[in-house]
Amino acid sequence: MTTTTADLPEAGTVRLVDHLAGELARAGVTHVFGVGGANIEDLYDAVHRAGAIRGVVAKHEFSAVTMADGYARVTRRLGVVAATSGGGAMNLLPGLAEAYASRVPVLALVGQPPTGQEGRGAFQDTSGKAGSFDAREVFAPVSRFCARVDDADSLTELLPRAVAAAQTEPRGPAVLLLPKDVQQARIRLPGRGAAQTPGGPTSVPTASVARLDSVAVTAVADTLRQAGRVLVIAGEDVAATDARAELAELARRLGAWVAVTPDAKDVFDNSDPRFAGVAGVMGHANVEECLRRADVCLLVGTRLPLLARGGLERALAAAEVVCLGPEPPFVPATALVGHLPDALRAVTSRLSPRPRACPQHAGPLPAVMPGPDSQTRGRTIPYAQAVAAVEAALPHDAHVFVDAGNAGASAVHLLPAPRHGRFVLAVGMGGMGYTFGAAIGAALATGRRTYVLAGDGSFFMHGMEVHTAVEHAAPVTFVVFNNNAHAMCAVREEFLQGGVRSDDLFSRTDLAAGVAAAFPSLDVTGADHAAHLRSALLRSNAGGGPAFVALDCDPAEIPPFRPFQSFTEATRGTEATDSKESSHERGVVHVG
């Protein structure tokens, strides 16, 4: 029988994995997501025996990472994923790349073959010896910290370093490579009453909170104080640092319009009269109009990447831009670099406490998009009607995870963020299928109803995580917009490459029937009109576990995606030659 911590004297020895599981629990980790295997099974054994952390086995390691990612985004705590060596380890890479690019704190615990087998033809050898590749070199580019635990005693140093690196700005993944024999090794610990070692996993990293430049604070405050009209564009770091209240107070004092980046729709109340809409390629025309009228554009918690500034380049070039956040922006600006809540409070304290009136503006009016073709209208639900049904059913405290593609662009443009939940769009790498795992991680972490809004392309990549939701009774409502296509690719092919290729258009699949047959206990609906969709969603809200709703959409329907703006004009019969400027000259961004 394996010896556990409970069987040993207080000053005795424990397996390294038992110590690791205990330290994670003391750091506030409640779930470990992953896929098992021979070279990580000892860690799962320790998690199971300790009982303080829930082990969640995913169907694929990519989704296990996104579960940890979603967990981290809704809790602002460390997400943890554990996987075995070889193919299991390599499957982590796309998910870690998303967490790296989106600054999400994730700890990856990756099993490795026993050290005595390295360079001797070990199965799944990634030690870098005898012609094998080195896993450290693979994981290093997508991590803030990557180390191999060569012996048991080194974990007491490496684990705190890994946790601190993941949670220190810029946040991101940390990776620990754990050989099987090291996991099984025994280490001696101080008694249970001993004080925590400074810098251990339970201590809060302080390196991320650097002192603000007082000269820069004064310069930014002076610029904002003198500005007549200010447009704020707020980003994901507002959510990551829980700075919503500070943002709202600054906007109140400035009388500013507030826009949000596509991945940060929940950082400002979408019903507030100051709310201008979404910036960038999935955004609203009102944001560009406000930017043209503004004296200053204030970036808060965003570096304003291409997806957030697409179509705004000319107006940005003519505006004075100021940025608050942990990293400098991608556009020319006066930057106050530092911990965002501190920067917001420092600037706000230098402004008059009397609120300014917000200038009138049109608000986030949705773009007018052509509906489905008359031949398919009776069999499909238009995006606008489907999103309206979701809005009508969505609980105020729900989380929403939006996947890539036409359905995702429609949701970002049309669906208001829930008042007390997250609205997450993973644009770091923009990988299809992210939401299926991420929503499960979020739902298990918080117990709240969590919605997935995804297309059939995303479902076919990672939708079998529905099985994980069923196994763990996760309160996730999966809403799959089925157009039987990679429709965004098909739209690009039709308008940019001379016609749709058949390889992105698929034979019809009845997803609801298939999922219902696979999971008899799951609440499954094939919605054939918007009212049917709404009633299915309301029923899912009342239940305690997962639900699955599929609806048919038209692959030819053009979503409210700015790069497709000229396509909608052509659909309405407007010839491109009638315009004095081409779509390229108007600065419409081209994205993959």
Side-chain angles (χ1 to χ4, degrees):
M1 178 176 177
T2 304
T3 306
T4 65
T5 306
D7 300 322
L8 298 167
E10 290 188 354
T13 61
V14 296
R15 291 183 303 170
L16 177 139
V17 288
D18 294 314
H19 170 64
L20 176 55
E23 289 299 286
L24 292 176
R26 280 187 281 275
V29 174
T30 58
H31 294 73
V32 170
F33 306 95
V35 180
N39 286 328
I40 201 65
E41 63 189 2
D42 296 285
L43 176 59
Y44 278 102
D45 176 68
V47 167
H48 174 74
R49 287 172 180 272
I53 296 175
R54 185 176 180 182
V56 178
V57 175
K59 309 287 90 63
H60 191 280
E61 290 84 0
F62 168 80
S63 290
V65 181
T66 66
M67 289 176 193
D69 178 302
Y71 173 102
R73 293 198 200 217
V74 300
T75 65
R76 294 185 297 108
R77 299 198 303 266
L78 182 71
V80 180
V81 60
T84 193
S85 51
M90 296 302 100
N91 284 340
L92 297 171
L93 287 167
L96 294 178
E98 169 61 41
Y100 182 93
S102 292
R103 310 307 194 239
V104 180
V106 170
L107 174 64
L109 303 171
V110 185
Q112 297 286 279
T115 54
Q117 297 177 10
E118 295 172 355
R120 297 175 179 270
F123 180 58
Q124 300 179 331
D125 188 358
T126 54
S127 64
K129 300 177 181 178
S132 66
F133 68 85
D134 191 337
R136 287 171 295 190
E137 295 180 359
V138 174
F139 286 107
V142 293
S143 63
R144 304 296 176 189
F145 179 86
C146 180
R148 181 181 176 86
V149 183
D150 290 315
D151 58 79
D153 291 336
S154 64
L155 181 73
T156 56
E157 174 204 351
L158 293 175
L159 180 59
R161 289 177 60 189
V163 172
Q167 297 178 320
T168 298
E169 295 171 344
R171 295 170 297 274
V175 179
L176 290 178
L177 304 172
L178 300 166
K180 183 175 179 67
D181 57 318
V182 176
Q183 294 178 51
Q184 296 173 329
R186 308 196 71 81
I187 57 176
R188 183 172 296 277
L189 297 175
R192 290 188 179 119
Q196 279 283 330
T197 302
T202 55
S203 61
V204 178
T206 57
S208 62
V209 186
R211 185 182 299 275
L212 296 171
D213 183 335
S214 60
V215 174
V217 171
T218 300
V220 168
D222 289 345
T223 298
L224 295 174
R225 192 183 303 110
Q226 295 164 13
R229 291 172 175 164
V230 177
L231 170 66
V232 173
I233 302 180
E236 165 65 14
D237 200 53
V238 176
T241 59
D242 195 22
R244 292 179 179 84
E246 289 84 352
L247 169 64
E249 177 61 18
L250 179 61
R252 187 185 73 87
R253 294 197 187 189
L254 292 173
W257 303 301
V258 180
V260 295
T261 58
D263 60 338
K265 198 166 185 181
D266 61 349
V267 303
F268 191 80
D269 184 355
N270 291 187
S271 65
D272 192 294
R274 299 177 181 84
F275 183 61
V278 178
V281 299
M282 289 168 263
H284 301 95
N286 181 57
V287 175
E288 182 178 5
E289 177 61 24
C290 290
L291 180 56
R292 293 186 185 280
R293 294 169 59 192
D295 299 307
V296 173
C297 177
L298 174 62
L299 308 180
V300 177
T302 177
R303 305 178 73 189
L304 210 65
L306 195 60
L307 287 181
R309 70 175 188 270
L312 302 178
E313 289 90 343
R314 283 192 173 184
L316 281 167
E320 182 173 4
V321 181
V322 175
C323 179
L324 308 182
E327 299 178 86
F330 294 118
V331 297
T334 299
L336 173 57
V337 177
H339 188 53
L340 183 61
D342 293 346
L344 284 166
R345 286 190 289 265
V347 171
T348 301
S349 69
R350 287 165 171 77
L351 302 176
S352 170
R354 177 180 297 178
R356 295 187 199 171
C358 179
Q360 290 187 342
H361 62 116
L365 299 176
V368 178
M369 310 301 293
D373 184 88
S374 60
Q375 295 180 345
T376 61
R377 187 176 295 124
R379 293 184 283 108
T380 63
I381 304 177
Y383 292 131
Q385 292 182 20
V387 173
V390 173
E391 179 183 356
L394 190 66
H396 290 308
D397 64 347
H399 303 304
V400 177
F401 283 77
V402 177
D403 221 301
N406 286 1
S410 300
V412 170
H413 189 82
L414 297 170
L415 180 64
R419 291 287 299 273
H420 305 293
R422 290 297 330 263
F423 189 108
V424 176
L425 176 71
V427 296
M429 290 289 104
M432 293 171 66
Y434 162 89
T435 56
F436 290 92
I440 292 170
L444 292 178
T446 64
R448 296 190 194 178
R449 176 58 51 182
T450 303
Y451 274 52
V452 165
L453 305 181
D456 54 307
S458 295
F459 172 80
F460 284 124
M461 289 189 180
H462 292 286
M464 282 300 100
E465 294 302 334
V466 169
H467 178 273
T468 309
V470 171
E471 288 292 301
H472 291 271
V476 180
T477 300
F478 299 95
V479 185
V480 178
F481 298 69
N482 182 16
N483 50 33
N484 297 292
H486 285 166
M488 186 169 281
C489 296
V491 170
R492 293 178 61 86
E493 291 158 12
E494 179 178 0
F495 290 98
L496 296 176
Q497 297 183 326
V500 178
R501 299 191 299 269
S502 60
D503 47 341
D504 279 318
L505 297 177
F506 314 137
S507 299
R508 185 179 184 277
T509 304
D510 189 340
L511 296 181
V515 170
F519 305 105
S521 66
L522 181 62
D523 179 5
V524 178
T525 302
D528 52 17
H529 53 80
H532 191 192
L533 171 61
R534 177 176 177 272
S535 65
L537 298 178
L538 289 171
R539 187 173 66 250
S540 80
N541 295 343
F548 185 94
V549 184
L551 58 141
D552 285 341
C553 299
D554 184 356
E557 182 178 357
I558 300 175
F561 191 54
R562 196 174 184 112
F564 296 170
Q565 185 175 24
S566 61
F567 307 164
T568 66
E569 294 171 358
T571 302
R572 297 189 194 105
T574 302
E575 296 295 330
T577 54
D578 292 341
S579 174
K580 294 182 179 179
E581 297 176 314
S582 70
S583 63
H584 174 74
E585 290 168 335
R586 287 197 301 270
V588 176
V589 65
H590 292 271
V591 297

